[in-house]
Amino acid sequence: MKTEELKTLLEKMSLEEKVHQLMQLPGAYYQGNAEITGNMNGDQYTQEEVWEAGSVLGLYGAQALRQLQDAYMARQPHHIPLLFMLDVIHGLRTIFPIPLAQGASFHPALAERCAQAAGEEAAVSGVHVTFAPMADLVRDARWGRCMEAYGEDPYLNGEMTAAVVKGFQGEKLRDVGRIGACVKHFAAYGAPTAGREYNNVELSEHTLREYYLPAYEKGIAAGACMVMTSFNTLNGIPSTGNRWLMRDVLRREMGFDGVLISDWGAVKELIAHGYCEGSEEAARRAMEAGVDIDMASDVYGKSLLRLIREEKMSEELLDQAVYRVLTLKNKLGLFENPYKDGNGTQENIVILSEEKRKLAKEAAIESFVLLKNQDEILPLKKENKVALIGPYTDWKDMHSAWAIAGQGQDAITVSEAAALEKEFVFCSVPVEPILESYQGLSRKNGSDVQWEEALLENRKQTQEQRSAALTAAAQADTVVLLLGEHRLQSGEAASRVDIRLPERQMELFRAVRKVNQNIVTVVFGGRPLDLREISEESKALLLAWLPGTEGGNAIIEVLTGRSEPTGRLPMSLPQCVGQVPVFYSEYQTGRPAAKGEDPVFYSSRYLDCPNEPLYPFGYGLGYTSFEITVPILNRNYMSREEKILASVEIVNTGKRRGSQVLQLYIRDCVASVVRPVKELKGFQKICLNPGERKQITFEITEEMLRFHDEKGRWTSEEGEFQLWISDSCVTGRAVGFTLRG
Ligand code: GLC
């Protein structure tokens, strides 16, 4: 439809019809099998509202959505199509590694390919827009949605967010296989006080702008068609009613002119926050803040009409919101084709294709982080007898709680993949996890059938299983222990104060360690965990995160050495929960504790724990070794108009081809506001043959040196800087350069 036709359409619409376009109802009002991802707050909708609401969330399936669209359009007075949105977070049916794992790949182009593949499956299943990527910066391992973030660093976060937006959207939304991307949750939802879900966020504007906003901005600059508000208050004001945050920062400063949708029920929650008296005030505040769509609440439906009729709110505001929604539907081509790509025949071809499985395996392999490899116990030796033991030996649900359409049945377990090995001798002894021992794990939505089945399965675990495991461990040359969090222990509403593995799994670990010290531990989970004992007592430690449908194949590929794990930590791995939030780009403080040696008594440290995390951001091992020279600069000073080229030579000093992630860190030594000890400003992932050497160069620009000064200006200041090019945030030697007038 042409722009002027859209405007004409808007003029023809009644007030009621306009308000309906701003209502998004849960799919449960249309189909019984809808995914419910929030509290059904007892909202009441009239049949007219149900059949004229502008969009629906939580449904997928080509045939079902085509039928629903037909029924809807038959009633729609202006033939405005219904918009279908769904949480396609890391895959629809082919499940890719969780976003945190994709952050660990340090490979934005790979994440873009995964998003494109996920978008193709979603599009053919009738979905028009996904509620992804989540761009929230996360530095607190207690928060359950770490799994959905790309980590603790603003630069990595922004690169991954932009790549995923492009992967979903491509060049044009109306193109086949493309769906809209929704950058969320605006803003700073990843910094809840005490790591507790939905809790208040207190950030100075400086910290907000310096660290938490950049990734959203990169997602918007990449063309995201939608932004979602966050549940949290930001410095006492709920984001969903925050005019400064939405009108000034998001729309005016960041130039976002797409659709702003609330999170589930967040407009109504303005009342629960104690920010609005009732529905009318909530509707007005949200509309004035620029929230276009009220997701899963009846506030807009119940109150916007009255506000406008009683002239408490201008119809112009309503028209602007409705026009943005109509424009999005138009960009998706829905006026010409309300089904977009929904196609039952194609669905069977596109979904779970071999090509997508292959990509899922590639992404899983690139996301694994090898933290320890003592005596080069990995890759496994062909002649060794290997016992695979633990809950994840044959656990199919290696995906997150957000893998809405993901099915464990599609997954290849580690033991299934091992059974296909011809050159290795594996014996698998699954020791079912005792789900009850997962502290505080309550059933999601109360009706999770899988939960009941899993509990029943669990109760079968007998002492025989445990002793069979120990017998296998005693007879093996190497034991691979596959342990981890349950997938429902991370994700939304899954904050934890204890980030250790379940005690039952630690008992199993200690029992195995007594009979065999050649232990490789593979850890699954959606957040950084307290792995001190596991790390200390294992010879090798591999983080598998929640790797998705091809997790089993990917793990065997890596354990046998056919592939190399090339992930690097996107979040610091804490010593323990007491250290959290712990992240590398911290401030020096006035009394920095000397690293390692006996610290000065009065210095910034703990009495009972090192300052350093167990494993640092950007760290990870592979199956070869590299040497990286000290950076060489083509000049050691620059004006604002000039650049510096910083180069290193890297050589593969090992015996096999391997990858390395070269990371560029910069420090501003002195400035009008304190600057972090270092910040990631670039990275390049490269692969070299044994003996191969390569020069890698980074361009240092003045833009990289900017920060928000004490007046909030985005500026650089002349003076001394340090630069590293290394394989983690704690390695490499600094070289200095000067920014001068
Ligand atoms: C949830 C989540 C949000 C999701 C939305 C729709 O509460 O916070 O990320 O996209 O509701 O499911």
Side-chain angles (χ1 to χ4, degrees), residues 300-329:
Y300 273 15
K302 292 272 175 294
S303 302
L304 278 184
L305 274 180
R306 196 167 47 250
L307 281 170
I308 291 166
R309 285 189 174 136
E310 293 169 5
E311 295 184 356
K312 292 176 184 168
M313 197 182 78
S314 80
E315 190 168 352
E316 175 57 24
L317 268 188
L318 176 71
D319 286 353
Q320 288 166 3
V322 176
Y323 186 70
R324 284 189 285 263
V325 173
L326 297 178
T327 301
L328 173 58
K329 293 183 177 185

Side-chain angles (χ1 to χ4, degrees), residues 37 57 87 131 145 184-185 228 231 263-264 295 492:
T37 52
L57 82 151
D87 294 280
F131 297 123
R145 298 187 81 163
K184 67 186 187 180
H185 305 80
M228 183 187 293
F231 287 120
D263 202 337
W264 182 294
M295 180 200 291
E492 186 172 354

Side-chain angles (χ1 to χ4, degrees), residues 568 618 661-665 680 682-683 724-729:
R568 299 293 182 265
V661 177
L662 281 173
Q663 301 154 44
L664 168 69
Y665 294 94
L680 183 73
F683 56 84
W724 295 257
I725 298 175
S726 56
D727 56 8
S728 84
C729 67

Side-chain angles (χ1 to χ4, degrees), residues 571-676:
M571 275 183 84
S572 308
L573 208 75
Q575 302 272 354
C576 61
V577 73
Q579 256 193 342
V580 165
V582 59
F583 51 92
Y584 83 92
S585 54
E586 58 181 7
Y587 296 144
Q588 177 97 320
T589 79
R591 296 186 175 188
K595 297 210 180 337
E597 67 232 45
D598 187 22
V600 168
F601 183 78
Y602 295 106
S603 62
S604 177
R605 63 194 177 90
Y606 303 101
L607 289 179
D608 53 356
C609 180
N611 287 359
E612 295 74 29
L614 186 65
Y615 290 101
F617 173 84
Y619 173 81
L621 301 173
Y623 287 156
T624 186
S625 55
F626 293 93
E627 269 173 20
I628 304 167
T629 60
V630 175
I632 294 171
L633 310 184
N634 69 332
R635 54 194 307 166
N636 55 19
Y637 61 85
M638 60 184 269
S639 67
R640 286 186 171 75
E641 295 68 39
E642 294 170 323
K643 295 179 177 118
I644 286 180
L645 297 180
S647 303
V648 293
E649 182 176 84
I650 177 171
V651 57
N652 179 342
T653 52
K655 303 185 186 66
R656 61 176 279 168
R657 183 172 170 75
S659 292
Q660 183 56 278
V661 177
L662 281 173
Q663 301 154 44
L664 168 69
Y665 294 94
I666 290 180
R667 177 183 190 178
D668 186 344
C669 301
V670 179
S672 61
V673 293
V674 173
R675 311 287 298 117

